[in-house]
PDB file of all heavy atoms in Angstrom:
ATOM      1  N   GLY A  11     -12.989  32.278  11.867  1.00 42.00           N
ATOM      2  CA  GLY A  11     -12.697  31.153  10.978  1.00 42.00           C
ATOM      3  C   GLY A  11     -13.662  30.001  11.194  1.00 42.00           C
ATOM      4  O   GLY A  11     -14.165  29.402  10.238  1.00 42.00           O
ATOM      5  N   ALA A  12     -13.949  29.666  12.441  1.00 40.00           N
ATOM      6  CA  ALA A  12     -14.885  28.584  12.743  1.00 40.00           C
ATOM      7  C   ALA A  12     -16.285  28.918  12.249  1.00 40.00           C
ATOM      8  O   ALA A  12     -16.988  28.085  11.679  1.00 40.00           O
ATOM      9  CB  ALA A  12     -14.908  28.303  14.240  1.00 40.00           C
ATOM     10  N   ALA A  13     -16.690  30.159  12.457  1.00 39.00           N
ATOM     11  CA  ALA A  13     -18.018  30.573  11.994  1.00 39.00           C
ATOM     12  C   ALA A  13     -18.111  30.513  10.474  1.00 39.00           C
ATOM     13  O   ALA A  13     -19.128  30.075   9.925  1.00 39.00           O
ATOM     14  CB  ALA A  13     -18.329  31.985  12.482  1.00 39.00           C
ATOM     15  N   SER A  14     -17.068  30.899   9.785  1.00 38.00           N
ATOM     16  CA  SER A  14     -17.118  30.853   8.324  1.00 38.00           C
ATOM     17  C   SER A  14     -17.127  29.420   7.819  1.00 38.00           C
ATOM     18  O   SER A  14     -17.755  29.118   6.812  1.00 38.00           O
ATOM     19  CB  SER A  14     -15.951  31.623   7.721  1.00 38.00           C
ATOM     20  OG  SER A  14     -14.736  30.985   7.999  1.00 38.00           O
ATOM     21  N   LEU A  15     -16.459  28.510   8.511  1.00 39.00           N
ATOM     22  CA  LEU A  15     -16.508  27.100   8.121  1.00 39.00           C
ATOM     23  C   LEU A  15     -17.910  26.537   8.297  1.00 39.00           C
ATOM     24  O   LEU A  15     -18.404  25.780   7.457  1.00 39.00           O
ATOM     25  CB  LEU A  15     -15.514  26.277   8.946  1.00 39.00           C
ATOM     26  CG  LEU A  15     -14.057  26.407   8.555  1.00 39.00           C
ATOM     27  CD1 LEU A  15     -13.187  25.627   9.540  1.00 39.00           C
ATOM     28  CD2 LEU A  15     -13.840  25.903   7.153  1.00 39.00           C
ATOM     29  N   MET A  16     -18.567  26.902   9.391  1.00 38.00           N
ATOM     30  CA  MET A  16     -19.926  26.419   9.630  1.00 38.00           C
ATOM     31  C   MET A  16     -20.872  26.952   8.566  1.00 38.00           C
ATOM     32  O   MET A  16     -21.686  26.218   8.027  1.00 38.00           O
ATOM     33  CB  MET A  16     -20.407  26.823  11.026  1.00 38.00           C
ATOM     34  CG  MET A  16     -19.712  26.043  12.118  1.00 38.00           C
ATOM     35  SD  MET A  16     -20.053  26.530  13.806  1.00 38.00           S
ATOM     36  CE  MET A  16     -21.551  27.390  13.797  1.00 38.00           C
ATOM     37  N   VAL A  17     -20.761  28.216   8.238  1.00 37.00           N
ATOM     38  CA  VAL A  17     -21.613  28.800   7.215  1.00 37.00           C
ATOM     39  C   VAL A  17     -21.270  28.209   5.860  1.00 37.00           C
ATOM     40  O   VAL A  17     -22.140  27.864   5.085  1.00 37.00           O
ATOM     41  CB  VAL A  17     -21.467  30.339   7.200  1.00 37.00           C
ATOM     42  CG1 VAL A  17     -22.159  30.933   5.981  1.00 37.00           C
ATOM     43  CG2 VAL A  17     -22.026  30.933   8.473  1.00 37.00           C
ATOM     44  N   GLY A  18     -20.000  28.042   5.578  1.00 37.00           N
ATOM     45  CA  GLY A  18     -19.570  27.501   4.290  1.00 37.00           C
ATOM     46  C   GLY A  18     -20.014  26.067   4.086  1.00 37.00           C
ATOM     47  O   GLY A  18     -20.421  25.685   3.007  1.00 37.00           O
ATOM     48  N   SER A  19     -19.985  25.251   5.115  1.00 38.00           N
ATOM     49  CA  SER A  19     -20.382  23.862   4.953  1.00 38.00           C
ATOM     50  C   SER A  19     -21.879  23.730   4.771  1.00 38.00           C
ATOM     51  O   SER A  19     -22.349  22.827   4.108  1.00 38.00           O
ATOM     52  CB  SER A  19     -19.907  23.022   6.147  1.00 38.00           C
ATOM     53  OG  SER A  19     -20.569  23.435   7.317  1.00 38.00           O
ATOM     54  N   SER A  20     -22.656  24.641   5.335  1.00 38.00           N
ATOM     55  CA  SER A  20     -24.096  24.551   5.156  1.00 38.00           C
ATOM     56  C   SER A  20     -24.497  24.950   3.748  1.00 38.00           C
ATOM     57  O   SER A  20     -25.584  24.643   3.294  1.00 38.00           O
ATOM     58  CB  SER A  20     -24.817  25.415   6.185  1.00 38.00           C
ATOM     59  OG  SER A  20     -24.547  26.771   5.936  1.00 38.00           O
ATOM     60  N   ALA A  21     -23.624  25.632   3.019  1.00 44.00           N
ATOM     61  CA  ALA A  21     -23.934  26.022   1.660  1.00 44.00           C
ATOM     62  C   ALA A  21     -24.011  24.803   0.736  1.00 44.00           C
ATOM     63  O   ALA A  21     -24.621  24.862  -0.314  1.00 44.00           O
ATOM     64  CB  ALA A  21     -22.884  26.995   1.142  1.00 44.00           C
ATOM     65  N   PHE A  22     -23.401  23.695   1.145  1.00 56.00           N
ATOM     66  CA  PHE A  22     -23.412  22.503   0.326  1.00 56.00           C
ATOM     67  C   PHE A  22     -24.629  21.628   0.593  1.00 56.00           C
ATOM     68  O   PHE A  22     -24.873  20.681  -0.134  1.00 56.00           O
ATOM     69  CB  PHE A  22     -22.141  21.679   0.550  1.00 56.00           C
ATOM     70  CG  PHE A  22     -20.902  22.381   0.090  1.00 56.00           C
ATOM     71  CD1 PHE A  22     -19.891  22.655   0.982  1.00 56.00           C
ATOM     72  CD2 PHE A  22     -20.759  22.795  -1.228  1.00 56.00           C
ATOM     73  CE1 PHE A  22     -18.746  23.312   0.562  1.00 56.00           C
ATOM     74  CE2 PHE A  22     -19.619  23.452  -1.648  1.00 56.00           C
ATOM     75  CZ  PHE A  22     -18.609  23.709  -0.747  1.00 56.00           C
ATOM     76  N   ALA A  23     -25.389  21.912   1.620  1.00 74.00           N
ATOM     77  CA  ALA A  23     -26.566  21.118   1.918  1.00 74.00           C
ATOM     78  C   ALA A  23     -27.668  21.419   0.915  1.00 74.00           C
ATOM     79  O   ALA A  23     -27.783  22.518   0.391  1.00 74.00           O
ATOM     80  CB  ALA A  23     -27.050  21.429   3.336  1.00 74.00           C
ATOM     81  N   LEU A  24     -28.474  20.397   0.651  1.00 82.00           N
ATOM     82  CA  LEU A  24     -29.599  20.580  -0.249  1.00 82.00           C
ATOM     83  C   LEU A  24     -30.683  21.378   0.459  1.00 82.00           C
ATOM     84  O   LEU A  24     -30.881  21.242   1.658  1.00 82.00           O
ATOM     85  CB  LEU A  24     -30.178  19.220  -0.647  1.00 82.00           C
ATOM     86  CG  LEU A  24     -29.262  18.283  -1.423  1.00 82.00           C
ATOM     87  CD1 LEU A  24     -29.959  16.933  -1.607  1.00 82.00           C
ATOM     88  CD2 LEU A  24     -28.895  18.864  -2.761  1.00 82.00           C
ATOM     89  N   THR A  25     -31.393  22.180  -0.286  1.00 90.00           N
ATOM     90  CA  THR A  25     -32.530  22.885   0.297  1.00 90.00           C
ATOM     91  C   THR A  25     -33.648  21.876   0.516  1.00 90.00           C
ATOM     92  O   THR A  25     -33.636  20.782  -0.064  1.00 90.00           O
ATOM     93  CB  THR A  25     -33.037  24.009  -0.629  1.00 90.00           C
ATOM     94  OG1 THR A  25     -33.547  23.419  -1.822  1.00 90.00           O
ATOM     95  CG2 THR A  25     -31.930  24.998  -0.951  1.00 90.00           C
TER      96      THR A  25
END
Side-chain angles (χ1 to χ4, degrees):
S14 67
L15 284 175
M16 288 174 21
V17 170
S19 66
S20 67
F22 295 120
L24 297 175
T25 65

